[in-house]
Amino acid sequence: KGRYLMVMTVIDEVQPRAQAALCNSPFYELRELQVEQRDDALLISGCVSSFYHKQLAQEVVRSVCTDIKVVNSIRVEFEEE
């Protein structure tokens, strides 16, 4: 019980930091992504136009939450030219 409580407290503290890190990104697309708490992990969702931005978003979130599992469910939708 004590370990579970500690993990939930850490996620509660990290989720706002992860969301803020994306919202403050110099890459506009990352600002539209959402970070949600899911059990003992953080779920990143939304849509970007390249796999580079998908990976970048994951790295931004990992940079502020090193001890939490990150699930990247971002969709990549290429823009038509």
Side-chain angles (χ1 to χ4, degrees):
K1 181 179 177 184
R3 168 116 172 88
Y4 177 76
L5 182 61
M6 184 177 76
V7 169
M8 294 308 293
T9 301
V10 169
I11 291 177
D12 289 343
E13 294 169 358
V14 169
Q15 187 277 337
R17 279 204 324 256
Q19 187 69 64
L22 290 174
C23 289
N24 293 321
S25 171
F27 295 92
Y28 179 77
E29 287 188 74
L30 303 191
R31 297 177 189 178
E32 302 295 318
L33 300 174
Q34 299 299 313
V35 180
E36 300 173 53
Q37 175 183 330
R38 292 285 171 92
D39 298 321
D40 62 343
L42 293 178
L43 173 73
I44 315 169
S45 60
C47 182
V48 293
S49 64
S50 72
F51 286 102
Y52 171 74
H53 287 111
K54 178 176 178 163
Q55 184 66 31
L56 187 63
Q58 180 175 314
E59 295 307 316
V60 166
V61 170
R62 282 189 198 276
S63 73
V64 296
C65 58
T66 56
D67 295 334
I68 305 294
K69 179 180 176 183
V70 175
V71 178
N72 187 341
S73 67
I74 298 170
R75 292 184 326 278
V76 177
E77 293 184 4
F78 300 103
E79 294 180 7
E80 302 274 334
E81 290 187 31

